[in-house]
Amino acid sequence: MWAGHYRQHERNHPQQMRLEFADGLMRGSGDDQLGTFTIDGEFRVAEGQVRVGWIKTYRGAHSILYLGTFDGVRIEGRWDIDGYGDQFALEYVGNEPN
């Protein structure tokens, strides 16, 4: 489970995601105040950094591009939808209880 926020209209909006990483791909799902969404993306090591990129898609609605870096603790970067965007940050908060 990853928790954090995305910034929009000068406010931080909480979001949480369940992410899986394997063989350069990342997949997952999550929710925020707009609803539930899926995550499809990839990660790679380039120039000494772990770079990540994914598409966040709300059920029956729009998709958003997320690009960032992982420093071993946090994923930080920017989101973009049709040229409009701002910052986001996520931290690993552990596994969900069974």
Side-chain angles (χ1 to χ4, degrees):
M1 180 66 76
W2 294 75
H5 68 274
Y6 65 89
R7 187 151 182 86
Q8 184 178 27
H9 304 301
E10 299 181 16
R11 291 187 51 219
N12 290 343
H13 301 275
Q15 62 181 342
Q16 60 183 12
M17 301 177 187
R18 292 159 293 284
L19 299 174
E20 296 178 10
F21 299 86
D23 300 323
L25 299 176
M26 58 186 294
R27 301 271 186 264
S29 60
D31 55 81
D32 59 25
Q33 77 275 4
L34 296 179
T36 60
F37 53 82
T38 58
I39 299 291
D40 288 297
E42 61 183 45
F43 65 95
R44 68 177 148 227
V45 177
E47 300 174 9
Q49 288 186 323
V50 179
R51 297 180 186 208
V52 296
W54 68 83
I55 302 292
K56 173 182 175 181
T57 303
Y58 290 95
R59 284 192 191 150
H62 62 284
S63 296
I64 303 164
L65 174 65
Y66 277 70
L67 298 173
T69 57
F70 176 56
D71 67 6
V73 176
R74 292 170 59 92
I75 300 174
E76 295 182 307
R78 291 190 60 82
W79 61 269
D80 182 274
I81 181 169
D82 297 328
Y84 173 78
D86 207 328
Q87 299 175 342
F88 75 90
L90 295 166
E91 287 191 19
Y92 181 70
V93 294
N95 295 324
E96 293 179 280
N98 293 328

